[in-house]
Amino acid sequence: MDTQRSPEEVLIKTIERYLLTNYGKLLKNASLEEFYYSLCQSLKEEIMIHWTASSLSIQKKRPRTLFYLSMEYLPGRFIDNNILHIGAKELVETVLKKTPFSWKKLLSVEPDPGLGNGGLGRLASCFLDSMAALQLPAIGYGLRYQYGIFEQELWNGVQMERPDCWLLRENPWEFRRDALACHVQYKGAFAQGAEGEILEGGEKVRAIPYDYPIVGFPTKKAAFSVITMRLWSTKESPRNFALQRYNAGEFGPAGENTSLTDVLYPSDHHNEGKRVRLKQEFLLVSASLQDILRQQALGETAGSPAHLPIALVDKVRIQVNDTHPGLVIPELIRLLRAQDPKLSLEEAFEYTQAMTSYTNHTVLKEALEEWNEERVMTLLPAQYKIIQQLNFAFCKQVRSHFNEGNKKAQELSIIQNGQVKMAHLLLYGSHKVNGVAELHTRILEEMFADFFSLYPEKLCAVTNGVSHRKWLLDANPLLARFITEQIGGKWVEDFSHIERLKERATERSVQEQFLAIKAEGKRALIDFLRKEARLRDQKGALIDHYPVLGEEALFSVQIKRIHEYKRQLLNLLHVLAIYLELRENPGSRSVKRMVLLAGKAAPGYRNAKAILRIAYMIARKINQDPRTSGSLQLAFLENYNVTKTMMILPGADLSEQISLAGKEASGTGNMKLAMNGALTIGTDDGANVEMREAVGERYWPFLFGMSASAAATARDHYSPTDLYKQDPLLQKVLDFLISDELSQDPSEKECCAHIRKTLLEGDYDERPDEHFVLKDFPAYYKAQKKVEDLFQDRYKWAEYALHNIGSMGRFTSDRSIQDYIKNIWSLEACPTDETILEQLYHVRSADQRIVRDHFFSKRSYS
């Protein structure tokens, strides 16, 4: 075979081979989808060899391995990530020039995987990317949701939820592993067996794993690591369908177990939703733990299976991502004792505790899960019994430590008032507990002070980070190339090198180049919004698109799930204030402002949906008013996801991080936007605190609002009604909110009146202005004035933006993972064994080696 052919020729030939053998097509008459699948198959040849080599290297060395359990992942499109990480982007772009297909069209074929909702899922995917880049022995476990959380549309401002059909077509990056399927048991009754008590009957649900390769970013070394994201599905197993119940007319119950992995976070406003959520979480836990034990048993050579529990303590680390997988504690105890019947409950708990750690992501009550005791007892009788036993032992410790009789034990008990408190279970059952920012960790220490009085060594802080390669190198190639020209390419592999950019921030020529790149990013964003920021009527029909201002405007961006504590409402009230000012005096503002919102509201979250509707009403009013439409516009981008984030970041000027201090555990959108040159207007909340410290006070000019400690103590002395009476601007805004000018029908008027009531009077059992929107409004208004003042000095703005980018070195997920390694996991890297890799490459042809050598040559960015 001719080994002198170019890599481009070899890749084209490989694609043509797959087109012929899979579709019976030639390149000249292949569809875009057929070309896409054939390209993916061609690239998988390289990925599969490294994936296999990574797995075999781990099996050979048997290092301590991390198993990461998360209900959410948001990886974005795999083709984009994989092409970047194997160093094939230039090659693929060259090949595409010889076809009718463009890079943009190619990427459009693959939908975003519907595996998460927001920051929790995106963080988990960033962590997997960094684990692979750092060559760690690790596996991520999750669920393969057939319809995601939902696909969002706004019909006349009303959020409508549709199935997210991301699996409608073949997914070339997933591998179904039927041989590794697990059975997860629910319900049952205890009976006496030959070796003790056993559980009989109940429901057995078959979970089938689907594996996805997570490709580690290439370094100068030839071998890059590929780790596994393993997702469980109940959808594809007919054994889970109860045919007898179906034939008896019980259509819903008949398909419940088949549908356990249909939707992320089914609404829990009814008993059916609560039951399915609990079953989902246990499915993830039990199937993953069975898989972990199976892998360890295959590698264990110490003798009988009874040695396995002891071996596990050294070899296994399990990270629980929020309370969702909290049932790891009782289920691992149960499985260990099933493996070794001689193991006592105390010994099994000690082993479980040594292996398990818990990340708390928020102190919001809704995320500190509690399960109805009777529901746990019915669905998971064996696990419930273990929880009872653990709680008895724990309460005994509490009484001994605090010497307060039952009072303190009742406060800390895992089971309270008929509820099983998952956070308490994890605080007791974990080896380490970490917050996700310094401030958040301090709040945890205060909130769970009694727990950490008992176990002071457990708590640690690991500030979140994001993948700078995904969110800067991939999302903003123009800016990435500019940074490399200024400081070299070492920042791609080690983001601490970004610090050097600050040295160039005051140079006029560097500022001009940055401003030109930002303008290009804004032009791309404008084009994107004019196509994708859709306006729909009350029946969902597309009637128009949101109008968008030009690149000279300040682009203010708030992109995150819709929640009262994130205070999109504060942003909207400020937009109304500007509108009312411009209406009275069109020359009152010298800076044009384009406000962009995006995010989903939980299906059962009434107030969040009302905020979405109000955003639509405000946009409708100001965008159509000729007195203001040339200076102020508001757009909402529906169905926000990873791909849309990547389009937004390069064009953003201002990052709105305005949550009530003490409520946002960390935030990751704040990091992504700052890395892309957006300045932050924000409270001292979550990781904003550490970002401000890294940037410095001078270059963080838009801090506003109460501190977390002030917010915690202000409630008893706070009257939003008094504030309303004393502030004329606030009066105007809140009165306009319920005016006939804004609302066009009774349901809109009721929506506005309801939100106004929550601010001034409270709603049901909530206090008025629960999240201090009105309290922080005057400070926010002043900070926004400072934003516009600075924005008018474009070179000074560029200096600040460049300094912010250069200060983001510690906010990479690489550093987060290194902190986890140091403080919690004690893992060591497991690089691919070169001998194993060479053995695998022997099966490849000379042509394929040409492509491999091309990939390796592209791994230097310096």
Side-chain angles (χ1 to χ4, degrees):
M1 186 171 289
D2 179 11
T3 60
Q4 299 306 307
R5 285 192 290 180
S6 70
E8 292 81 8
E9 291 173 316
V10 172
L11 183 55
I12 287 174
K13 284 295 181 184
T14 308
I15 293 168
E16 288 177 331
R17 171 163 52 87
Y18 279 112
L19 282 169
L20 180 62
T21 57
N22 288 345
Y23 302 104
K25 292 286 187 72
L26 299 176
L27 181 58
K28 63 182 180 181
N29 59 5
S31 69
L32 174 63
E33 289 78 10
E34 290 164 344
F35 179 84
Y36 160 79
Y37 288 120
S38 299
L39 172 63
C40 292
Q41 292 293 335
S42 302
L43 298 174
K44 275 163 60 178
E45 291 186 355
E46 179 71 17
I47 291 170
M48 285 302 301
I49 284 183
H50 283 264
W51 196 5
T52 305
S54 295
S55 298
L56 291 176
S57 298
I58 291 172
Q59 291 175 27
K60 177 182 177 181
K61 298 173 185 176
R62 297 214 63 243
R64 176 176 290 176
T65 302
L66 173 73
F67 302 95
Y68 193 82
L69 271 64
S70 178
M71 284 288 284
E72 294 188 45
Y73 293 96
L74 276 175
R77 295 177 302 208
F78 286 102
I79 188 170
D80 203 7
N81 220 49
N82 291 344
I83 286 176
L84 178 72
H85 283 197
I86 65 173
K89 194 164 185 177
E90 277 184 39
L91 177 61
V92 172
E93 287 176 341
T94 303
V95 167
L96 285 172
K97 290 175 183 175
K98 301 179 181 180
T99 74
F101 311 118
S102 67
W103 176 253
K104 186 176 180 180
K105 286 183 178 178
L106 180 71
L107 293 181
S108 71
V109 178
E110 184 177 319
D112 276 34
L115 299 171
N117 179 32
L120 183 78
R122 185 51 232 170
L123 178 77
S125 288
C126 283
F127 279 4
L128 292 190
D129 283 348
S130 286
M131 291 175 201
L134 297 172
Q135 301 183 315
L136 297 183
I139 295 178
Y141 286 104
L143 298 180
R144 181 180 177 267
Y145 303 107
Q146 191 77 15
Y147 305 113
I149 184 165
F150 60 84
E151 189 173 281
Q152 179 197 50
E153 291 181 357
L154 290 191
W155 293 12
N156 216 29
V158 177
Q159 176 176 282
M160 304 299 291
E161 296 105 25
R162 294 177 171 275
D164 180 1
C165 300
W166 71 283
L167 289 171
L168 195 61
R169 293 180 290 194
E170 174 190 0
N171 187 327
W173 304 108
E174 69 176 12
F175 297 81
R176 178 169 166 161
R177 308 291 197 192
D178 285 71
L180 304 179
C182 297
H183 288 92
V184 177
Q185 178 157 350
Y186 303 97
K187 302 184 178 179
F190 288 108
Q192 195 63 34
E195 295 186 1
E197 199 173 49
I198 59 171
L199 198 64
E200 292 184 336
E203 304 172 0
K204 281 194 175 179
V205 175
R206 188 167 184 257
I208 299 174
Y210 286 74
D211 286 358
Y212 295 75
I214 306 299
V215 180
F217 182 79
T219 65
K220 293 177 183 177
K221 298 176 182 178
F224 58 88
S225 290
V226 182
I227 65 173
T228 300
M229 179 174 71
R230 179 162 290 171
L231 306 178
W232 302 100
S233 173
T234 61
K235 190 71 177 176
E236 305 298 328
S237 179
R239 297 185 189 181
N240 296 335
F241 185 72
L243 185 59
Q244 297 287 3
R245 300 190 74 173
Y246 182 86
N247 287 335
E250 299 178 24
F251 301 138
E256 180 172 287
N257 289 335
T258 301
S259 65
L260 289 183
T261 55
D262 273 7
V263 176
L264 168 64
Y265 302 145
S267 176
D268 59 357
H269 281 59
H270 42 72
N271 286 329
E272 291 77 7
K274 290 181 172 70
R275 182 177 64 248
V276 170
R277 274 205 188 192
L278 179 58
K279 292 178 83 170
Q280 273 188 342
E281 293 183 5
F282 184 68
L283 178 84
L284 168 62
V285 163
S286 183
S288 302
L289 289 176
Q290 290 179 57
D291 194 58
I292 292 167
L293 294 180
R294 178 193 58 79
Q295 292 178 57
Q296 295 301 312
L298 287 174
E300 182 57 45
T301 57
S304 71
H307 289 93
L308 181 59
I310 300 172
L312 282 170
V313 176
D314 181 56
K315 297 296 185 183
V316 170
R317 288 295 176 267
I318 299 168
Q319 191 68 34
V320 175
N321 195 31
D322 227 346
T323 54
H324 308 126
L327 289 164
V328 156
I329 304 299
E331 178 65 353
L332 185 51
I333 290 171
R334 185 190 71 82
L335 290 171
L336 290 176
R337 297 186 74 191
Q339 185 75 52
D340 182 2
K342 295 180 181 178
L343 206 63
S344 69
L345 177 75
E346 293 73 20
E347 290 171 319
F349 175 69
E350 184 181 337
Y351 294 154
T352 295
Q353 193 177 52
M355 289 184 273
T356 307
S357 298
Y358 159 51
T359 299
N360 176 281
H361 281 277
T362 178
V363 295
L364 293 178
K365 185 178 179 181
E366 66 202 52
L368 298 174
E369 288 184 309
E370 299 179 7
W371 290 110
N372 177 272
E373 184 179 3
E374 187 175 342
R375 182 172 289 112
V376 177
M377 182 170 53
T378 301
L379 282 177
L380 307 169
Q383 293 73 23
Y384 172 72
K385 188 173 183 179
I386 292 170
I387 292 171
Q388 279 187 312
Q389 293 170 321
L390 293 179
N391 194 45
F392 180 81
F394 172 60
C395 288
K396 186 177 178 181
Q397 281 187 30
V398 172
R399 292 187 194 98
S400 173
H401 180 81
F402 290 100
N403 195 27
E404 293 185 24
N406 280 330
K407 181 175 180 293
K408 190 64 70 175
Q410 289 171 352
E411 291 175 4
L412 303 187
S413 177
I414 298 167
I415 302 173
Q416 293 181 27
N417 303 317
Q419 296 289 110
V420 179
K421 301 174 80 71
M422 301 308 294
H424 288 201
L425 177 62
L426 284 163
L427 288 165
Y428 175 52
S430 299
H431 166 63
K432 287 284 186 180
V433 176
N434 74 279
V436 290
E438 292 289 348
L439 173 61
H440 173 58
T441 306
R442 291 200 301 271
I443 292 171
L444 281 180
E445 189 172 19
E446 294 169 6
M447 186 172 183
F448 297 111
D450 291 331
F451 278 95
F452 298 120
S453 170
L454 268 168
Y455 314 113
E457 74 289 347
K458 280 193 180 185
L459 184 65
C460 64
V462 179
T463 299
N464 284 343
V466 300
S467 171
H468 62 280
R469 292 176 282 266
K470 177 69 176 178
W471 295 112
L472 178 49
L473 179 66
D474 193 12
N476 201 342
L478 286 178
L479 182 58
R481 190 176 303 120
F482 160 77
I483 292 171
T484 298
E485 288 169 357
Q486 302 305 316
I487 65 171
K490 291 182 179 179
W491 67 271
V492 179
E493 295 177 21
D494 181 354
F495 200 48
S496 66
H497 288 277
I498 199 71
E499 183 84 9
R500 292 181 55 203
L501 188 63
K502 293 194 287 190
E503 299 168 10
R504 311 294 303 276
T506 57
E507 297 177 24
R508 181 59 60 92
S509 62
V510 174
Q511 294 167 359
E512 288 175 341
Q513 290 179 66
F514 170 78
L515 290 168
I517 290 165
K518 179 60 72 173
E520 182 65 31
K522 290 167 84 167
R523 286 192 289 271
L525 176 56
I526 290 165
D527 290 342
F528 177 74
L529 292 175
R530 285 174 176 165
K531 296 174 185 175
E532 298 296 328
R534 300 180 175 95
L535 281 165
R536 303 177 189 275
D537 65 16
Q538 67 274 16
K539 294 183 179 180
L542 179 63
I543 55 173
D544 205 346
H545 292 81
Y546 284 93
V548 185
L549 293 176
E551 66 189 74
E552 74 282 358
L554 170 74
F555 275 62
S556 170
V557 171
Q558 190 174 18
I559 45 175
K560 49 186 81 242
R561 69 189 169 92
I562 310 301
H563 199 293
E564 288 171 281
Y565 89 82
K566 292 181 183 290
R567 301 203 294 189
Q568 284 91 354
L569 189 55
L570 178 60
N571 192 353
L572 291 171
L573 294 182
H574 177 253
V575 171
L576 268 185
I578 297 176
Y579 169 69
L580 294 174
E581 286 180 21
L582 287 172
R583 201 166 71 162
E584 291 179 10
N585 179 9
S588 61
R589 297 273 171 159
S590 53
V591 171
K592 296 180 180 181
R593 183 181 288 256
M594 181 70 229
V595 180
L596 176 61
L597 298 176
K600 296 178 180 180
Y605 193 170
R606 179 191 177 191
N607 287 358
K609 286 188 166 183
I611 290 167
L612 274 179
R613 197 167 186 189
I614 288 172
Y616 169 80
M617 286 186 268
I618 294 173
R620 180 181 61 200
K621 182 64 181 175
I622 67 177
N623 294 351
Q624 294 176 1
D625 192 330
R627 294 170 293 181
T628 62
S629 59
S631 300
L632 176 66
Q633 296 280 4
L634 169 64
F636 185 86
L637 184 64
E638 64 186 14
N639 204 43
Y640 175 57
N641 59 22
V642 170
T643 296
K644 290 177 180 177
T645 310
M646 295 176 74
M647 294 301 301
I648 293 168
L649 294 177
D653 291 313
L654 186 66
S655 170
E656 299 270 356
Q657 307 299 328
I658 58 178
S659 55
L660 174 62
K663 294 292 185 179
E664 185 75 79
S666 168
T668 51
N670 46 4
M671 303 169 190
K672 296 166 197 166
L673 283 156
M675 285 178 186
N676 282 271
L679 298 188
T680 302
I681 182 169
T683 53
D684 240 354
D685 197 25
N688 285 0
V689 177
E690 290 156 85
M691 289 172 65
R692 175 175 58 81
E693 291 170 353
V695 171
E697 299 292 341
R698 178 186 171 191
Y699 291 102
W700 193 268
F702 311 135
L703 172 68
F704 78 94
M706 293 185 295
S707 66
S709 58
T713 58
R715 179 62 63 187
D716 294 337
H717 311 287
Y718 175 54
S719 170
T721 305
D722 290 345
L723 192 63
Y724 165 79
K725 292 176 181 177
Q726 296 161 9
D727 189 327
L729 179 58
L730 206 51
Q731 281 184 40
K732 278 185 181 180
V733 170
L734 291 179
D735 291 350
F736 189 83
L737 191 64
I738 57 171
S739 70
D740 291 337
E741 281 197 73
L742 193 62
S743 305
Q744 290 186 354
D745 61 50
S747 66
E748 288 188 350
K749 198 167 187 67
E750 191 279 330
C751 173
C752 292
H754 169 71
I755 289 300
R756 187 177 187 272
K757 181 183 176 184
T758 66
L759 294 173
L760 294 176
E761 302 172 33
D763 182 35
Y764 299 109
D765 59 341
E766 283 198 352
R767 293 166 292 194
D769 197 12
E770 180 73 24
H771 300 285
F772 291 115
V773 171
L774 303 186
K775 179 75 171 175
D776 272 350
F777 178 82
Y780 180 59
Y781 181 83
K782 290 178 183 176
Q784 289 283 12
K785 283 281 193 181
K786 292 174 69 176
V787 168
E788 295 185 6
D789 289 342
L790 183 61
F791 190 72
Q792 292 178 80
D793 186 342
R794 57 197 302 267
Y795 293 114
K796 183 64 70 174
W797 184 278
E799 177 189 337
Y800 277 52
L802 288 164
H803 194 92
N804 271 254
I805 297 170
S807 301
M808 290 297 108
R810 72 178 303 265
F811 299 102
T812 169
S813 49
D814 287 4
R815 190 271 315 146
S816 298
I817 293 302
Q818 287 162 347
D819 284 354
Y820 274 104
I821 292 169
K822 178 182 176 182
N823 299 325
I824 300 176
W825 300 335
S826 298
L827 289 187
E828 292 183 0
C830 185
T832 301
D833 188 306
E834 294 287 347
T835 303
I836 292 174
L837 188 64
E838 281 305 313
Q839 289 172 351
L840 295 174
Y841 267 122
H842 276 306
V843 303
R844 304 196 80 182
S845 68
D847 266 0
Q848 291 166 322
R849 283 174 177 266
I850 292 173
V851 178
R852 179 199 70 167
D853 293 342
H854 175 83
F855 290 158
F856 289 169
S857 72
K858 296 297 179 183
R859 294 212 175 105
S860 175
Y861 285 80
S862 56

